Amino acid sequence: MEHSTKTRKLAEVLDESESRAAALAGLAGVVSSLSEDEGSVIVTANSSKETFELANSSLNNYRNISGVSLSLLILADDVLNLTSEANMLAE
């Protein structure tokens, strides 16, 4: 009976770990798309409206990348903890 419960718990932990790993992959894709090279933008007092808009877009992308990076760190920590728990259950 104990072996069956342990096996079921291990399966649940591994399922959760797989789900978190998939979320990590998805967020990594978001970072990749947000960080595509748009080229450097130099803004001067005489820059056009389009140049300012491009600079603002780049700043917004960096802000979004920062937020996504925090989510990646949290999910990575979750996966590490779940993997440790699964290893203990497997012993």
Side-chain angles (χ1 to χ4, degrees), residues 18-88:
E18 182 180 21
S19 173
R20 302 291 171 100
L24 280 170
L27 285 174
V30 170
V31 170
S32 177
S33 68
L34 288 173
S35 61
E36 289 178 353
D37 185 21
E38 297 179 11
S40 59
V41 179
I42 299 174
V43 177
T44 66
N46 298 322
S47 292
S48 68
K49 179 180 178 182
E50 291 79 18
T51 301
F52 279 105
E53 288 172 352
L54 182 58
N56 281 332
S57 174
S58 293
L59 290 172
N60 285 332
N61 283 345
Y62 285 119
R63 191 176 305 119
N64 290 337
I65 289 170
S66 177
V68 170
S69 295
L70 178 59
S71 296
L72 284 168
L73 288 171
I74 292 167
L75 284 169
D77 186 58
D78 288 348
V79 169
L80 178 62
N81 290 332
L82 288 166
T83 303
S84 295
E85 184 180 348
N87 282 331
M88 286 190 293

